[in-house]
Amino acid sequence: MPDLSPDDPLTRSFDAVVVGAGPAGLSAALSIARACRRVLLVDDGHARNAPAAQAWGFVTRDGTPPEDIRALGREELARYDVTLVDAPVEAAAHDSAGGFCLSLLDRDGLSVHTRALVLATGIMDILPPVPGLAEAWGCGVAHCPYCHGWDLRGRPTAFYGRGDDAFNMGRFLTLWSDDMTVVTDGPSELTAEQRAELDGRGVAVDERPVGRIEQTDGQVSAVVFEDGDRLCVGAVYVKPDVRPRSTLPETLGARLMPNRIAVTDDVGRVEGVPGLYLAGDVTERQHQVVLAAASGTRAAFALNHDLLVAGYTG
């Protein structure tokens, strides 16, 4: 792959810059490059699924470690006109040509210009402040049964949460475990009808305050209540709050939803900011590697279409 040169303006001007080299960013860069365009791929090394030992549900790559998927993606990009830089983006702004200017940290303030920008910077999981949850996150504590359910199947299982989340996940997780408890850590916020349905499916509801999750090296053994009682389990699911990792959409004028995620159309175009696109978990309701990769491809198709309509043929 070519490198950036502070002394050569041609190496600092691109048809598209993709920020984030996870599955979404890699897929976006691949499709843009295959449209005969010059691409810069920038990555700061942070991956949401880094705590997980394997990534599941990605056909031909089921069970592959996440870092191996990223490495394979980089190898595939080497045959195209893609420049890869491992550095955080320090700042971004609109430039006088109708595109964007980005400054890269750890590159002596080097700036690059692009006609279009894809942000595949992902989201952060905000876990409940229960001791042991974070330590087992991505192993015995998970958020997605499609990602982890097969590996955690058959174990006594708890879902930590309340209300509709507890109801929906409590009954859903019975596909993977016939020993299922909803642990609400206080009032369940379930309706009478919801409790009756969970009871009919054999799902217990425990409203006692939770003290901690007992775990060793990521393997969960119990939910420990504040009264000292232990619920022996081999898996805990939780639905974390999420926040975008990057504030660049807001910096560039995007309209934000209450969760701070920018408003986009169904292919990733950011509302009100021409030339800006989002891809990956930040645009998806369901979070899985294969879906993130697909969203990167969708954003790339939209970007290439928009550049062509604007007269930029590469």
Side-chain angles (χ1 to χ4, degrees):
M1 292 184 182
D3 194 12
L4 295 177
S5 170
D7 302 319
D8 184 356
L10 291 178
T11 70
R12 296 186 285 112
S13 181
F14 297 87
D15 297 314
V17 171
V18 179
V19 182
L26 291 165
S27 294
L30 177 63
S31 291
I32 298 168
R34 284 182 59 82
C36 304
R37 299 192 185 277
R38 297 188 66 242
V39 182
L40 172 65
L41 179 61
V42 184
D43 187 54
D44 65 4
H46 293 288
R48 182 191 182 195
N49 61 359
Q54 290 90 24
W56 302 101
F58 197 153
V59 65
T60 77
R61 291 290 180 264
D62 188 49
T64 303
E67 63 270 23
D68 290 357
I69 292 176
R70 293 190 291 271
L72 288 166
R74 289 180 175 224
E75 289 177 13
E76 290 176 352
L77 291 176
R79 67 175 69 106
Y80 299 103
D81 191 0
V82 177
T83 301
L84 175 63
V85 176
D86 289 307
V89 174
E90 183 176 28
H94 297 275
D95 65 20
S96 59
F100 305 93
C101 176
L102 284 75
S103 299
L104 304 183
L105 194 66
D106 302 330
R107 299 290 298 226
D108 297 323
L110 182 67
S111 62
V112 296
H113 295 265
T114 180
R115 296 167 180 166
L117 176 61
V118 179
L119 299 178
T121 46
I123 57 178
M124 299 182 293
D125 295 299
I126 312 298
L127 293 171
V130 177
L133 271 181
E135 290 82 355
W137 181 239
C139 189
V141 174
H143 77 291
C144 173
Y146 283 117
C147 298
H148 301 279
W150 175 264
D151 308 283
L152 300 175
R153 71 192 187 282
R155 306 181 186 186
T157 297
F159 176 77
Y160 178 93
R162 301 176 181 175
D164 289 343
D165 287 340
F167 172 64
N168 292 326
M169 288 296 288
R171 61 179 179 171
F172 186 50
L173 285 165
T174 58
L175 291 170
W176 289 271
S177 174
D178 59 7
D179 186 348
M180 183 68 214
T181 303
V182 169
V183 177
T184 62
D185 198 6
S188 70
E189 301 175 11
L190 294 165
T191 67
E193 292 79 8
Q194 288 174 332
R195 292 199 70 144
E197 181 170 339
L198 290 177
D199 183 65
R201 293 176 181 269
V203 178
V205 177
D206 197 316
E207 296 182 313
R208 287 178 292 175
V210 173
R212 61 187 172 89
I213 303 301
E214 188 176 90
Q215 62 83 37
T216 303
D217 296 330
Q219 297 298 323
V220 171
S221 54
V223 176
V224 182
F225 298 97
E226 287 187 356
D227 62 12
D229 197 11
R230 298 169 73 256
L231 173 67
C232 293
V233 296
V236 174
Y237 287 86
V238 63
K239 186 177 180 181
D241 290 331
V242 296
R243 292 290 183 272
R245 285 191 58 247
S246 174
T247 60
L248 291 178
E250 183 176 6
T251 299
L252 294 170
R255 184 167 69 89
L256 304 181
M257 296 182 287
N259 61 3
R260 311 302 296 172
I261 292 175
V263 178
T264 66
D265 67 9
D266 58 359
V267 293
R269 295 184 183 94
V270 175
E271 184 179 288
V273 189
L276 181 62
Y277 307 80
L278 297 188
D281 286 349
V282 76
T283 66
E284 298 293 310
R285 290 183 61 191
Q286 292 86 23
H287 298 155
Q288 201 173 30
V289 170
V290 68
L291 298 176
S295 75
T297 300
R298 284 198 301 268
F301 288 0
L303 180 152
N304 276 311
H305 172 272
D306 295 346
L307 287 181
L308 181 64
V309 169
Y312 297 114
T313 57

